[in-house]
DNA sequence: CCCTATTGCTTGTAGATGCAACCTTCACGT
DNA sequence: ACGTGAAGGTTGCATCTACAAGCAATAGGG
Protein backbone atom coordinates (compact mmCIF):
# COMPACT_ATOMS: atom_id res chain seq x y z
CA UNK A 1 0.00 0.00 0.00
CA UNK A 2 2.92 2.33 0.62
CA UNK A 3 5.31 3.86 -1.86
CA UNK A 4 6.45 2.21 -5.02
CA UNK A 5 9.91 0.74 -4.78
CA UNK A 6 12.66 2.21 -6.85
CA UNK A 7 12.94 -0.75 -9.22
CA UNK A 8 9.21 -0.78 -9.64
CA UNK A 9 9.26 2.86 -10.62
CA UNK A 10 12.00 2.23 -13.14
CA UNK A 11 10.15 -0.68 -14.72
CA UNK A 12 6.90 1.27 -14.90
CA UNK A 13 8.59 4.35 -16.30
CA UNK A 14 10.20 2.31 -19.04
CA UNK A 15 6.96 0.57 -19.84
CA UNK A 16 5.34 3.95 -20.04
CA UNK A 17 7.99 5.14 -22.45
CA UNK A 18 7.40 2.08 -24.56
CA UNK A 19 3.69 2.79 -24.61
CA UNK A 20 4.32 6.29 -25.90
CA UNK A 21 6.98 5.47 -28.45
CA UNK A 22 6.36 2.03 -29.93
CA UNK A 23 2.98 2.56 -31.60
CA UNK A 24 4.11 5.70 -33.36
CA UNK A 25 7.38 4.13 -34.37
CA UNK A 26 5.73 1.01 -35.76
CA UNK A 27 3.20 3.01 -37.71
CA UNK A 28 5.90 5.20 -39.14
CA UNK A 29 7.83 2.24 -40.44
CA UNK A 30 4.70 0.86 -42.04
CA UNK A 31 3.68 4.00 -43.93
CA UNK A 32 5.43 2.91 -47.14
CA UNK A 33 3.10 -0.10 -47.15
CA UNK A 34 0.10 2.24 -46.99
CA UNK A 35 -1.34 0.62 -43.88
CA UNK A 36 -1.25 1.50 -40.24
CA UNK A 37 -0.16 -1.09 -37.76
CA UNK A 38 -3.75 -1.45 -36.64
CA UNK A 39 -5.05 -1.88 -40.16
CA UNK A 40 -2.47 -4.56 -40.77
CA UNK A 41 -3.52 -6.40 -37.64
CA UNK A 42 -7.12 -6.15 -38.71
CA UNK A 43 -6.48 -7.51 -42.18
CA UNK A 44 -4.36 -10.27 -40.78
CA UNK A 45 -7.12 -11.28 -38.39
CA UNK A 46 -9.49 -11.49 -41.33
CA UNK A 47 -7.06 -13.42 -43.47
CA UNK A 48 -6.66 -16.01 -40.75
CA UNK A 49 -10.39 -16.34 -40.24
CA UNK A 50 -12.52 -18.84 -42.04
CA UNK A 51 -13.26 -17.57 -45.55
CA UNK A 52 -11.72 -14.22 -44.64
CA UNK A 53 -14.92 -13.26 -42.90
CA UNK A 54 -15.56 -12.15 -39.35
CA UNK A 55 -18.32 -10.37 -37.54
CA UNK A 56 -17.57 -6.85 -36.45
CA UNK A 57 -17.67 -7.67 -32.77
CA UNK A 58 -15.44 -10.71 -33.23
CA UNK A 59 -13.01 -8.60 -35.18
CA UNK A 60 -13.10 -5.97 -32.47
CA UNK A 61 -12.16 -8.55 -29.87
CA UNK A 62 -9.35 -9.99 -31.95
CA UNK A 63 -7.86 -6.58 -32.61
CA UNK A 64 -8.43 -5.19 -29.11
CA UNK A 65 -10.40 -2.30 -30.49
CA UNK A 66 -13.64 -0.65 -29.50
CA UNK A 67 -16.55 -1.15 -31.82
CA UNK A 68 -16.85 2.49 -32.89
CA UNK A 69 -13.21 2.60 -33.83
CA UNK A 70 -13.41 -0.65 -35.72
CA UNK A 71 -16.48 0.53 -37.57
CA UNK A 72 -14.67 3.60 -38.85
CA UNK A 73 -11.50 1.77 -39.79
CA UNK A 74 -13.47 -0.85 -41.67
CA UNK A 75 -15.28 1.94 -43.51
CA UNK A 76 -11.93 3.36 -44.48
CA UNK A 77 -10.63 0.00 -45.68
CA UNK A 78 -13.87 -0.46 -47.56
CA UNK A 79 -13.24 2.79 -49.41
CA UNK A 80 -9.84 1.45 -50.35
CA UNK A 81 -11.41 -1.74 -51.62
CA UNK A 82 -9.61 -4.06 -49.24
CA UNK A 83 -12.68 -5.09 -47.27
CA UNK A 84 -16.39 -5.41 -47.88
CA UNK A 85 -19.28 -5.32 -45.48
CA UNK A 86 -22.12 -7.78 -45.77
CA UNK A 87 -25.16 -8.45 -43.67
CA UNK A 88 -25.18 -11.65 -41.71
CA UNK A 89 -27.88 -14.06 -42.74
CA UNK A 90 -28.13 -15.77 -39.39
CA UNK A 91 -28.50 -12.60 -37.37
CA UNK A 92 -29.98 -9.52 -38.91
CA UNK A 93 -28.24 -7.25 -36.45
CA UNK A 94 -24.80 -8.49 -37.27
CA UNK A 95 -22.44 -7.29 -39.96
CA UNK A 96 -19.59 -9.24 -41.46
CA UNK A 97 -16.35 -7.75 -42.60
CA UNK A 98 -15.00 -9.72 -45.53
CA UNK A 99 -11.54 -9.53 -47.01
CA UNK A 100 -11.49 -8.90 -50.74
CA UNK A 101 -8.90 -10.28 -53.11
CA UNK A 102 -7.27 -6.88 -53.13
CA UNK A 103 -7.26 -7.08 -49.36
CA UNK A 104 -5.40 -10.37 -49.45
CA UNK A 105 -2.91 -8.90 -51.83
CA UNK A 106 -2.42 -5.87 -49.61
CA UNK A 107 -1.81 -8.15 -46.65
CA UNK A 108 0.75 -10.16 -48.55
CA UNK A 109 2.42 -7.00 -49.79
CA UNK A 110 2.59 -5.38 -46.39
CA UNK A 111 3.79 -8.48 -44.62
CA UNK A 112 7.51 -8.04 -45.27
CA UNK A 113 7.42 -4.44 -44.09
CA UNK A 114 5.53 -5.44 -40.99
CA UNK A 115 7.74 -8.36 -40.06
CA UNK A 116 10.76 -6.27 -40.75
CA UNK A 117 9.52 -3.51 -38.48
CA UNK A 118 8.65 -5.92 -35.69
CA UNK A 119 12.00 -7.57 -35.95
CA UNK A 120 14.10 -4.44 -36.04
CA UNK A 121 12.21 -2.61 -33.34
CA UNK A 122 11.37 -5.42 -30.95
CA UNK A 123 12.79 -8.86 -31.54
CA UNK A 124 16.31 -8.18 -32.73
CA UNK A 125 17.39 -7.07 -29.29
CA UNK A 126 16.04 -10.19 -27.60
CA UNK A 127 17.21 -13.79 -27.47
CA UNK A 128 14.85 -16.75 -27.37
CA UNK A 129 14.62 -16.70 -23.62
CA UNK A 130 13.77 -13.00 -23.63
CA UNK A 131 10.96 -13.64 -26.07
CA UNK A 132 9.49 -16.22 -23.73
CA UNK A 133 9.76 -13.87 -20.82
CA UNK A 134 8.11 -11.11 -22.81
CA UNK A 135 5.23 -13.40 -23.68
CA UNK A 136 4.82 -14.39 -20.04
CA UNK A 137 5.01 -10.88 -18.66
CA UNK A 138 2.60 -9.40 -21.15
CA UNK A 139 0.19 -12.22 -20.47
CA UNK A 140 0.37 -11.55 -16.73
CA UNK A 141 -0.41 -7.90 -17.21
CA UNK A 142 -3.11 -8.48 -19.80
CA UNK A 143 -4.81 -10.97 -17.54
CA UNK A 144 -5.14 -8.31 -14.89
CA UNK A 145 -6.35 -5.78 -17.43
CA UNK A 146 -8.93 -8.06 -18.91
CA UNK A 147 -10.03 -10.56 -16.29
CA UNK A 148 -12.83 -11.84 -18.48
CA UNK A 149 -10.30 -12.92 -21.06
CA UNK A 150 -12.61 -11.53 -23.67
CA UNK A 151 -9.84 -10.12 -25.76
CA UNK A 152 -7.14 -11.44 -27.97
CA UNK A 153 -4.65 -12.43 -25.36
CA UNK A 154 -4.60 -16.14 -25.98
CA UNK A 155 -2.78 -17.06 -29.14
CA UNK A 156 -4.09 -14.27 -31.31
CA UNK A 157 -2.09 -13.98 -34.45
CA UNK A 158 -0.23 -17.19 -33.80
CA UNK A 159 -1.92 -19.72 -36.03
CA UNK A 160 -5.33 -19.81 -37.60
CA UNK A 161 -6.16 -23.22 -36.24
CA UNK A 162 -4.69 -23.64 -32.82
CA UNK A 163 -5.34 -26.95 -31.10
CA UNK A 164 -3.79 -26.34 -27.71
CA UNK A 165 -5.63 -23.47 -26.10
CA UNK A 166 -8.12 -24.46 -23.40
CA UNK A 167 -8.84 -21.06 -21.76
CA UNK A 168 -11.46 -20.10 -24.33
CA UNK A 169 -14.16 -21.11 -21.94
CA UNK A 170 -17.21 -19.15 -23.00
CA UNK A 171 -16.76 -18.34 -26.65
CA UNK A 172 -18.22 -14.83 -26.72
CA UNK A 173 -18.69 -14.21 -30.42
CA UNK A 174 -18.75 -16.33 -33.51
CA UNK A 175 -18.61 -15.59 -37.18
CA UNK A 176 -21.34 -15.96 -39.69
CA UNK A 177 -20.58 -18.72 -42.22
CA UNK A 178 -22.93 -18.20 -45.13
CA UNK A 179 -22.63 -15.05 -47.22
CA UNK A 180 -22.13 -13.60 -50.72
CA UNK A 181 -19.76 -16.00 -52.46
CA UNK A 182 -16.89 -15.24 -54.76
CA UNK A 183 -15.49 -12.29 -52.89
CA UNK A 184 -12.39 -13.99 -51.60
CA UNK A 185 -11.29 -17.56 -52.04
CA UNK B 1 15.02 -13.05 -42.50
CA UNK B 2 12.23 -15.56 -43.05
CA UNK B 3 8.98 -15.97 -41.18
CA UNK B 4 8.43 -15.07 -37.60
CA UNK B 5 8.46 -18.03 -35.28
CA UNK B 6 5.31 -19.00 -33.51
CA UNK B 7 6.48 -17.92 -30.07
CA UNK B 8 7.67 -14.64 -31.51
CA UNK B 9 4.26 -14.01 -32.99
CA UNK B 10 2.59 -14.74 -29.69
CA UNK B 11 4.88 -12.39 -27.81
CA UNK B 12 4.44 -9.63 -30.35
CA UNK B 13 0.68 -10.06 -30.46
CA UNK B 14 0.46 -9.79 -26.71
CA UNK B 15 2.69 -6.77 -26.66
CA UNK B 16 0.47 -5.24 -29.28
CA UNK B 17 -2.59 -5.92 -27.15
CA UNK B 18 -0.87 -4.27 -24.24
CA UNK B 19 -0.10 -1.24 -26.34
CA UNK B 20 -3.73 -0.88 -27.27
CA UNK B 21 -5.25 -1.53 -23.88
CA UNK B 22 -2.95 -0.24 -21.17
CA UNK B 23 -2.91 3.49 -21.98
CA UNK B 24 -6.69 3.69 -22.14
CA UNK B 25 -7.10 1.61 -19.01
CA UNK B 26 -4.62 3.70 -17.03
CA UNK B 27 -6.22 6.95 -18.09
CA UNK B 28 -9.62 5.66 -17.19
CA UNK B 29 -8.56 4.80 -13.68
CA UNK B 30 -7.03 8.25 -13.28
CA UNK B 31 -10.07 10.26 -14.36
CA UNK B 32 -11.32 10.71 -10.78
CA UNK B 33 -8.07 12.51 -10.08
CA UNK B 34 -8.77 14.91 -12.93
CA UNK B 35 -5.51 14.20 -14.70
CA UNK B 36 -4.56 12.00 -17.60
CA UNK B 37 -1.71 9.60 -17.20
CA UNK B 38 0.40 11.83 -19.40
CA UNK B 39 -0.42 14.94 -17.40
CA UNK B 40 0.52 13.14 -14.22
CA UNK B 41 3.84 12.09 -15.70
CA UNK B 42 4.45 15.64 -16.82
CA UNK B 43 3.72 17.12 -13.43
CA UNK B 44 5.81 14.50 -11.74
CA UNK B 45 8.75 15.30 -14.02
CA UNK B 46 8.41 18.94 -13.06
CA UNK B 47 8.10 18.19 -9.37
CA UNK B 48 11.30 16.19 -9.46
CA UNK B 49 13.16 18.88 -11.35
CA UNK B 50 15.13 21.60 -9.67
CA UNK B 51 12.75 24.28 -8.42
CA UNK B 52 9.91 22.60 -10.27
CA UNK B 53 11.09 24.18 -13.47
CA UNK B 54 12.09 22.66 -16.80
CA UNK B 55 12.49 23.89 -20.31
CA UNK B 56 9.86 22.73 -22.74
CA UNK B 57 12.26 20.65 -24.76
CA UNK B 58 13.69 19.02 -21.64
CA UNK B 59 10.21 18.25 -20.46
CA UNK B 60 9.35 16.80 -23.85
CA UNK B 61 12.31 14.45 -23.62
CA UNK B 62 11.50 13.34 -20.10
CA UNK B 63 7.89 12.62 -20.98
CA UNK B 64 8.60 11.05 -24.39
CA UNK B 65 6.34 13.55 -26.06
CA UNK B 66 6.61 15.61 -29.20
CA UNK B 67 7.01 19.33 -28.72
CA UNK B 68 3.69 20.32 -30.29
CA UNK B 69 1.85 17.92 -28.05
CA UNK B 70 3.67 19.10 -24.97
CA UNK B 71 2.97 22.71 -25.85
CA UNK B 72 -0.76 22.11 -25.96
CA UNK B 73 -0.87 20.03 -22.81
CA UNK B 74 1.11 22.66 -20.92
CA UNK B 75 -1.33 25.28 -22.15
CA UNK B 76 -4.15 23.19 -20.82
CA UNK B 77 -2.48 22.73 -17.45
CA UNK B 78 -1.78 26.45 -17.42
CA UNK B 79 -5.49 27.13 -17.81
CA UNK B 80 -6.09 24.89 -14.83
CA UNK B 81 -3.52 26.84 -12.84
CA UNK B 82 -1.21 23.89 -12.23
CA UNK B 83 1.65 25.17 -14.34
CA UNK B 84 2.98 28.54 -15.45
CA UNK B 85 5.07 29.45 -18.45
CA UNK B 86 7.96 31.87 -18.11
CA UNK B 87 10.58 33.09 -20.52
CA UNK B 88 14.10 31.88 -19.96
CA UNK B 89 16.56 34.60 -19.13
CA UNK B 90 19.55 32.79 -20.53
CA UNK B 91 18.05 32.03 -23.89
CA UNK B 92 15.33 34.24 -25.27
CA UNK B 93 14.01 31.44 -27.46
CA UNK B 94 13.41 29.06 -24.60
CA UNK B 95 10.35 28.75 -22.40
CA UNK B 96 10.22 27.26 -18.95
CA UNK B 97 7.32 25.33 -17.57
CA UNK B 98 7.03 25.92 -13.83
CA UNK B 99 4.96 23.99 -11.36
CA UNK B 100 2.70 26.17 -9.24
CA UNK B 101 1.78 25.44 -5.66
CA UNK B 102 -1.57 24.22 -6.88
CA UNK B 103 0.32 22.00 -9.28
CA UNK B 104 2.26 20.44 -6.43
CA UNK B 105 -0.92 19.88 -4.55
CA UNK B 106 -2.53 18.29 -7.59
CA UNK B 107 0.44 15.99 -7.91
CA UNK B 108 0.26 14.98 -4.29
CA UNK B 109 -3.47 14.46 -4.56
CA UNK B 110 -3.26 12.35 -7.70
CA UNK B 111 -0.38 10.25 -6.47
CA UNK B 112 -2.41 7.66 -4.58
CA UNK B 113 -4.72 7.13 -7.53
CA UNK B 114 -1.80 6.79 -9.85
CA UNK B 115 0.17 4.38 -7.71
CA UNK B 116 -2.94 2.41 -7.10
CA UNK B 117 -3.66 2.14 -10.80
CA UNK B 118 -0.10 1.13 -11.60
CA UNK B 119 -0.14 -1.47 -8.90
CA UNK B 120 -3.46 -3.02 -9.70
CA UNK B 121 -2.98 -3.05 -13.46
CA UNK B 122 0.70 -3.86 -13.76
CA UNK B 123 2.66 -4.73 -10.66
CA UNK B 124 0.28 -6.84 -8.64
CA UNK B 125 0.58 -9.74 -11.04
CA UNK B 126 4.38 -9.73 -10.94
CA UNK B 127 6.89 -10.84 -8.37
CA UNK B 128 10.20 -9.07 -7.76
CA UNK B 129 11.98 -11.10 -10.37
CA UNK B 130 9.31 -10.32 -12.94
CA UNK B 131 9.72 -6.64 -12.28
CA UNK B 132 13.43 -6.91 -12.97
CA UNK B 133 12.78 -8.79 -16.15
CA UNK B 134 10.24 -6.21 -17.23
CA UNK B 135 12.74 -3.43 -16.66
CA UNK B 136 15.38 -5.29 -18.66
CA UNK B 137 13.12 -6.15 -21.55
CA UNK B 138 11.67 -2.70 -21.91
CA UNK B 139 15.15 -1.25 -21.82
CA UNK B 140 16.28 -3.59 -24.57
CA UNK B 141 13.41 -2.58 -26.80
CA UNK B 142 13.66 1.11 -26.01
CA UNK B 143 17.34 1.08 -26.83
CA UNK B 144 16.56 -0.18 -30.30
CA UNK B 145 13.78 2.37 -30.67
CA UNK B 146 15.88 5.26 -29.58
CA UNK B 147 19.51 4.52 -30.33
CA UNK B 148 20.56 8.05 -29.43
CA UNK B 149 19.31 7.49 -25.90
CA UNK B 150 17.86 10.95 -26.05
CA UNK B 151 14.72 10.03 -24.22
CA UNK B 152 13.71 9.12 -20.76
CA UNK B 153 14.82 5.53 -20.73
CA UNK B 154 17.50 5.79 -18.09
CA UNK B 155 16.08 6.18 -14.63
CA UNK B 156 13.31 8.59 -15.47
CA UNK B 157 10.90 8.82 -12.64
CA UNK B 158 13.08 6.84 -10.30
CA UNK B 159 14.59 9.44 -8.02
CA UNK B 160 15.05 13.14 -8.40
CA UNK B 161 18.72 13.03 -7.62
CA UNK B 162 20.20 9.87 -8.97
CA UNK B 163 23.93 9.44 -8.44
CA UNK B 164 24.57 6.26 -10.41
CA UNK B 165 23.69 6.94 -14.02
CA UNK B 166 26.66 7.27 -16.35
CA UNK B 167 24.99 6.89 -19.79
CA UNK B 168 23.96 10.54 -19.93
CA UNK B 169 26.87 11.25 -22.21
CA UNK B 170 25.90 14.33 -24.18
CA UNK B 171 23.36 16.18 -22.07
CA UNK B 172 21.04 17.45 -24.79
CA UNK B 173 18.96 19.97 -22.91
CA UNK B 174 19.29 21.79 -19.65
CA UNK B 175 16.96 23.85 -17.61
CA UNK B 176 17.14 27.53 -16.99
CA UNK B 177 17.92 28.27 -13.35
CA UNK B 178 17.03 31.92 -12.84
CA UNK B 179 13.41 32.94 -13.13
CA UNK B 180 10.44 34.60 -11.39
CA UNK B 181 10.76 33.60 -7.74
CA UNK B 182 8.07 32.64 -5.31
CA UNK B 183 5.99 30.56 -7.67
CA UNK B 184 6.75 27.22 -6.08
CA UNK B 185 8.90 26.47 -3.09
C1' DC C 1 27.93 45.17 -38.73
C1' DC C 2 24.79 42.58 -41.60
C1' DC C 3 22.98 38.19 -43.51
C1' DT C 4 21.98 33.51 -43.46
C1' DA C 5 21.20 29.10 -41.08
C1' DT C 6 19.72 26.91 -36.94
C1' DT C 7 17.29 26.32 -32.59
C1' DG C 8 13.13 26.62 -29.60
C1' DC C 9 8.56 26.82 -29.43
C1' DT C 10 3.68 27.76 -31.05
C1' DT C 11 -0.29 27.34 -34.09
C1' DG C 12 -3.15 25.86 -38.45
C1' DT C 13 -5.05 21.93 -40.24
C1' DA C 14 -6.36 17.27 -40.90
C1' DG C 15 -7.11 12.69 -39.18
C1' DA C 16 -7.98 9.50 -35.34
C1' DT C 17 -10.46 7.87 -31.05
C1' DG C 18 -13.60 7.38 -27.14
C1' DC C 19 -18.06 8.11 -25.06
C1' DA C 20 -22.74 8.52 -25.37
C1' DA C 21 -26.88 8.58 -27.99
C1' DC C 22 -29.36 6.22 -31.52
C1' DC C 23 -31.50 2.74 -34.61
C1' DT C 24 -32.45 -1.87 -35.85
C1' DT C 25 -33.06 -6.62 -34.82
C1' DC C 26 -33.37 -10.56 -31.82
C1' DA C 27 -34.94 -13.00 -27.33
C1' DC C 28 -38.45 -13.66 -23.96
C1' DG C 29 -42.19 -13.52 -20.86
C1' DT C 30 -47.01 -13.03 -20.73
C1' DA D 1 -49.04 -11.79 -30.83
C1' DC D 2 -47.14 -7.86 -28.16
C1' DG D 3 -44.18 -5.25 -25.30
C1' DT D 4 -39.96 -4.98 -22.74
C1' DG D 5 -35.19 -5.47 -22.64
C1' DA D 6 -30.80 -6.71 -24.46
C1' DA D 7 -27.33 -7.17 -28.34
C1' DG D 8 -25.00 -5.52 -32.66
C1' DG D 9 -23.46 -1.50 -35.16
C1' DT D 10 -23.23 3.24 -36.62
C1' DT D 11 -22.84 8.20 -36.03
C1' DG D 12 -22.54 13.03 -33.48
C1' DC D 13 -19.51 15.42 -30.78
C1' DA D 14 -15.56 16.70 -28.12
C1' DT D 15 -10.84 15.85 -27.54
C1' DC D 16 -6.33 14.66 -28.75
C1' DT D 17 -2.23 14.03 -31.77
C1' DA D 18 0.92 14.48 -35.50
C1' DC D 19 2.86 16.90 -39.36
C1' DA D 20 4.09 21.05 -41.42
C1' DA D 21 4.36 25.92 -41.62
C1' DG D 22 5.42 29.97 -39.11
C1' DC D 23 7.60 33.30 -35.80
C1' DA D 24 11.15 34.95 -32.59
C1' DA D 25 15.84 34.63 -31.03
C1' DT D 26 20.60 32.99 -31.28
C1' DA D 27 24.97 31.71 -33.63
C1' DG D 28 28.47 32.08 -37.33
C1' DG D 29 30.67 34.08 -41.60
C1' DG D 30 32.08 37.67 -44.50
Amino acid sequence: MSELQRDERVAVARLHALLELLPTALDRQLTPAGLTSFEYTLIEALSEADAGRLRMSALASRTNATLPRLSRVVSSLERKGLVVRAACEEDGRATNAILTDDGRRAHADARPSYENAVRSMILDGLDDEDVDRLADLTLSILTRLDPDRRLAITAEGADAACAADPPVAAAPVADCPADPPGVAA
Side-chain angles (χ1 to χ4, degrees), chain A:
Chain A
M1 284 294 185
S2 63
E3 300 251 316
L4 291 172
Q5 301 303 312
R6 182 198 160 82
D7 52 346
E8 291 177 328
R9 303 182 69 183
V10 171
V12 170
R14 285 185 187 157
L15 181 57
H16 231 299
L18 205 65
L19 260 36
E20 294 282 1
L21 300 176
L22 231 193
T24 312
L26 275 177
D27 277 348
R28 187 141 32 204
Q29 230 182 310
L30 266 193
T31 35
L35 290 176
T36 65
S37 176
F38 178 73
E39 289 170 330
Y40 179 82
T41 305
L42 191 165
I43 287 184
E44 182 158 87
L46 280 183
S47 79
E48 287 171 352
D50 192 47
R53 167 175 50 234
L54 234 39
R55 283 168 61 154
M56 293 296 282
S57 44
L59 193 49
S61 286
R62 287 200 188 16
T63 56
N64 306 294
T66 61
L67 218 30
R69 178 186 181 192
L70 181 71
S71 180
R72 290 184 160 110
V73 175
V74 166
S75 297
S76 161
L77 291 175
E78 213 172 2
R79 280 190 291 275
K80 293 186 195 170
L82 308 185
V83 162
V84 179
R85 262 188 252 245
C88 176
E89 297 183 349
E90 297 181 342
D91 187 334
R93 299 168 293 181
T95 306
N96 281 6
I98 309 175
L99 200 57
T100 64
D101 293 339
D102 275 2
R104 276 191 200 279
R105 263 189 291 278
H107 177 237
D109 291 349
R111 188 170 193 147
S113 300
Y114 179 77
E115 297 199 339
N116 208 50
V118 164
R119 232 188 287 278
S120 72
M121 306 178 70
I122 303 176
L123 295 173
D124 275 356
L126 313 179
D127 60 29
D128 290 353
E129 213 172 329
D130 289 336
V131 172
D132 288 345
R133 287 202 261 260
L134 179 60
D136 289 346
L137 282 170
T138 48
L139 179 58
S140 294
I141 299 176
L142 283 170
T143 307
R144 299 195 70 70
L145 268 185
D146 174 41
D148 305 339
R149 235 184 226 87
R150 286 197 326 98
L151 295 172
I153 64 176
T154 52
E156 179 242 24
D159 271 325
C162 177
D165 249 332
V168 191
V173 273
D175 51 338
C176 189
D179 247 351
V183 178

